[in-house]
Amino acid sequence: MVQELLFYIFATLTVISGVSVISARNSITSALSLIATLGAVAALFALLDAHFIATIQILVYAGAIMVLFVFVIMLLNLEPEAVQGLRLTPGKALAAGVAAAGTVLLLWKFVGVKGAFPAIGEDYGTMEAVAEALFIQYLIPFEAVSLLLTAAVVGAVVIGKREL
Amino acid sequence: MVSISHYLMLSAILFSLGVAGVLIRRNAIIVLMCVELMLNAVNLSFVALARKWGELDGHVVVFFVMAVAAAEAAVGLALVIALFRHKATINLEEANLLKG
């Protein structure tokens, strides 16, 4: 019962702040709404017994990535006229229609999916269990991701430099 | 009782919000944030399905997705800054140098 209530609370929060991300006139409002969305999704992860993932969602996403976004928004310091609001043109209306049709299709696919959640062991989703899978079974992909991150950092510095 | 179907539907709604944002908005930073929204929707379904099967592989994939999202955000925001430096705008409709 409590789980159900929490799910609906956080699901509602996720959707409301998600709508706010795409409809806000100001990009900083959008960024703050995205932080709320990420926090609510982290709570849903915790409800799904993914404790480690919930923690790094807060630390990495809401912490590191969103700070980067807010930093860039502050750095660019856009003029009021450069702030783009929502102006509905035929093209945008069509795009919104396509997105809505996609939602309906996905919902129609998912609505009847059966399957209650099975009972799981004590250590499911803990840092220890995830680390075991990560560093034994998925060691090579893990190293590849670290290479990717290094490349991304170097690339970001090169692109962001004043003169190339 | 909350089942896998609830989580998948929430994930679908969240993903579609991200798609709508990318298609509708012309502010480059907001478009990047909508991409993050889509990645989060997919993460949610990964975690829900991992819970359904009682396996941890989904969590590992989510971990990788987060790392790729961090890389994407870093490079994307560097591109936004480069765009702003050249055009003094981050409106994507004005970034049409490669348009034929």
Side-chain angles (χ1 to χ4, degrees):
Chain A
M1 256 316 118
V2 177
Q3 289 242 330
E4 202 166 332
L5 188 66
L6 285 175
F7 172 80
Y8 283 114
I9 290 173
F10 287 119
T12 315
L13 196 62
T14 308
V15 174
I16 290 174
S17 48
V19 170
S20 173
V21 170
I22 67 169
S23 62
R25 290 187 172 277
N26 199 331
S27 34
I28 200 77
T29 317
S30 208
L32 293 179
S33 305
L34 185 56
I35 293 175
T37 314
L38 298 176
V41 172
L44 290 171
F45 286 166
L47 277 179
L48 286 165
D49 300 294
H51 310 295
F52 174 65
I53 295 295
T55 312
I56 61 169
Q57 166 93 355
I58 298 285
L59 282 180
V60 175
Y61 251 118
I65 299 183
M66 287 318 294
V67 166
L68 194 62
F69 271 99
V70 174
F71 230 80
V72 171
I73 293 169
M74 297 293 192
L75 190 70
L76 296 186
N77 191 21
L78 297 170
E79 298 293 312
E81 60 264 21
V83 175
Q84 288 288 308
L86 269 178
R87 268 177 297 124
L88 209 62
T89 59
K92 286 180 183 176
L94 180 71
V98 169
T103 321
V104 171
L105 192 69
L106 281 172
L107 289 180
W108 179 65
K109 276 285 181 199
F110 288 153
V111 78
V113 176
K114 295 272 190 303
F117 294 116
I120 31 121
E122 272 288 285
D123 67 336
Y124 180 84
T126 57
M127 193 185 282
E128 192 184 347
V130 176
E132 219 172 271
L134 188 62
F135 291 123
I136 295 172
Q137 208 181 341
Y138 292 93
L139 183 62
I140 304 292
F142 177 79
E143 296 296 342
V145 163
S146 51
L147 206 63
L148 172 78
L149 277 174
T150 316
V153 168
V154 175
V157 170
V158 170
I159 294 170
K161 262 172 78 82
R162 196 167 285 279
E163 70 280 339
L164 283 175
Chain B
M1 192 59 205
V2 175
S3 71
I4 184 82
S5 154
H6 290 77
Y7 282 99
L8 290 180
M9 286 196 283
L10 176 63
S11 166
I13 293 171
L14 209 56
F15 188 86
S16 309
L17 281 175
V19 173
V22 169
L23 293 176
I24 292 172
R25 300 307 298 259
R26 297 274 60 92
N27 181 325
I29 293 179
I30 292 183
V31 168
L32 276 178
M33 286 197 277
C34 289
V35 173
E36 302 289 335
L37 207 57
M38 284 193 271
L39 288 170
N40 249 271
V42 175
N43 280 353
L44 184 60
S45 54
F46 264 126
V47 171
L49 288 166
R51 178 68 182 77
K52 160 105 177 63
W53 299 112
E55 299 283 341
L56 282 172
D57 304 59
H59 293 196
V60 176
V61 177
V62 169
F63 183 83
F64 290 151
V65 170
M66 281 181 183
V68 173
E72 171 252 315
V75 176
L77 288 170
L79 284 171
V80 169
I81 289 178
L83 176 69
F84 187 76
R85 194 171 284 144
H86 282 281
K87 297 231 170 197
T89 176
I90 56 167
N91 189 334
L92 289 176
E93 266 159 23
E94 292 176 38
N96 52 6
L97 198 66
L98 291 180
K99 208 173 181 177

